[in-house]
Amino acid sequence: METTKPIAEMTASELRELAKQKEAAEQSQQIQRKKAYDTDKENFLNEVATKFTEVKKILFSLKNDTISHSENFNALKYHLEDKAVKEAKSFELKNDRVKIVVENQDKFDFNDSAIVHINAIKDIFRDKFEARNKGFYNLLDSILMKNSKGEYDAKLLNKARRQAKELGDEALMDEFDKLNDCLVVVGTAKYVRVYTKDDKNRWKDVSLSFSSL
């Protein structure tokens, strides 16, 4: 219904028809806006995922190439002196402005006996602290829980072991020692860090972590 008749001169039927047309036009506009939003969002998500995937591949290649070349240079400096390459957990290459540190770290996991000692430690904590300080007990208990990967955190448990010494409980330390004996090496991981000197001649880590950007 297209009309140039003033609204004041329209009949009730004409006004209802005009309202329907206006509502339909607004609905159509809203649908188009929603479609545009969905299209833009889809393009944005795909673009970001593609870029992140590409950058991940670049970083993966950068890490491996840096470690490989660093190892070659490290070996070469021994060969140039006619000496055997010294085996070490880490080594560094540097000049006056740049330093590369390559480190091999063992990856640990617990064998299937660990749960026996973890439960024993939980029982001791429960007896000692649950009635006295519920919040503190819950904090201790959370340390002994599995993470999102379904694994116990070896570093966190080792830290708890050091702190537990201050409690002076022999039974508790005995269980922590037994738990420590359940740690087994399941592999190794290589890490590389790059440092540059700032204007105050201090080494600063060139971090590739988002949190530092």
Side-chain angles (χ1 to χ4, degrees):
M1 176 181 179
E2 295 184 3
T3 179
T4 58
K5 182 189 292 186
I7 292 179
E9 298 177 6
M10 291 184 180
T11 65
S13 176
E14 290 174 331
L15 286 172
R16 287 194 294 271
E17 181 62 26
L18 182 62
K20 287 174 60 178
Q21 290 181 2
K22 183 172 179 59
E23 183 179 0
E26 289 177 349
Q27 289 180 346
S28 176
Q29 185 181 38
Q30 183 63 20
I31 290 173
Q32 293 303 316
R33 290 177 61 193
K34 181 65 168 57
K35 286 182 177 179
Y37 167 80
D38 288 340
T39 298
D40 290 345
K41 183 184 74 172
E42 190 75 12
N43 291 337
F44 168 71
L45 291 172
N46 291 335
E47 181 181 357
V48 169
T50 298
K51 287 182 178 179
F52 267 63
T53 301
E54 291 173 350
V55 171
K56 180 180 179 181
K57 291 179 179 178
I58 292 172
L59 291 176
F60 181 80
S61 178
L62 174 62
K63 174 187 175 182
N64 288 343
D65 288 347
T66 301
I67 290 175
S68 177
H69 289 304
S70 296
E71 288 176 335
N72 288 339
F73 278 113
N74 185 59
L76 185 57
K77 70 184 180 184
Y78 283 94
H79 294 159
L80 289 173
E81 299 296 331
D82 198 25
K83 297 183 182 298
V85 179
K86 182 179 179 181
E87 296 294 332
K89 287 288 186 180
S90 67
F91 67 87
E92 64 180 40
L93 298 173
K94 65 181 180 181
N95 58 21
D96 292 339
R97 301 297 302 171
V98 180
K99 177 171 67 174
I100 297 175
V101 177
V102 177
E103 182 178 5
N104 291 291
Q105 290 186 6
D106 291 330
K107 297 171 66 176
F108 292 95
D109 197 2
F110 291 98
N111 61 29
D112 57 3
S113 297
I115 189 61
V116 176
H117 307 296
I118 287 176
N119 286 335
I121 293 170
K122 284 186 175 184
D123 290 341
I124 295 173
F125 279 154
R126 185 180 299 110
D127 292 340
K128 276 183 168 292
F129 301 108
E130 186 174 25
R132 293 164 53 189
N133 190 324
K134 186 72 173 178
F136 184 59
Y137 165 71
N138 288 336
L139 174 62
L140 293 173
D141 190 57
S142 67
I143 293 174
L144 300 172
M145 297 295 288
K146 291 183 178 180
N147 59 27
S148 59
K149 296 181 180 179
E151 303 168 343
Y152 291 107
D153 190 324
K155 290 184 178 179
L156 191 58
L157 287 173
N158 192 46
K159 183 176 180 180
R161 176 172 175 259
R162 294 196 300 269
Q163 296 294 328
K165 289 182 179 180
E166 298 180 7
L167 298 176
D169 189 303
E170 292 185 5
L172 181 61
M173 283 311 304
D174 182 58
E175 292 298 337
F176 264 112
D177 288 341
K178 290 177 179 177
L179 177 60
N180 190 62
D181 291 338
C182 294
L183 276 175
V184 293
V185 178
V186 295
T188 58
K190 288 187 177 183
Y191 300 94
V192 60
R193 295 186 300 276
V194 177
Y195 302 84
T196 58
K197 281 190 176 179
D198 62 13
D199 54 5
K200 295 183 179 179
N201 207 38
R202 297 173 302 186
W203 291 113
K204 291 293 185 180
D205 182 14
V206 181
S207 176
L208 299 181
S209 170
F210 267 26
S211 61
S212 67
L213 300 178

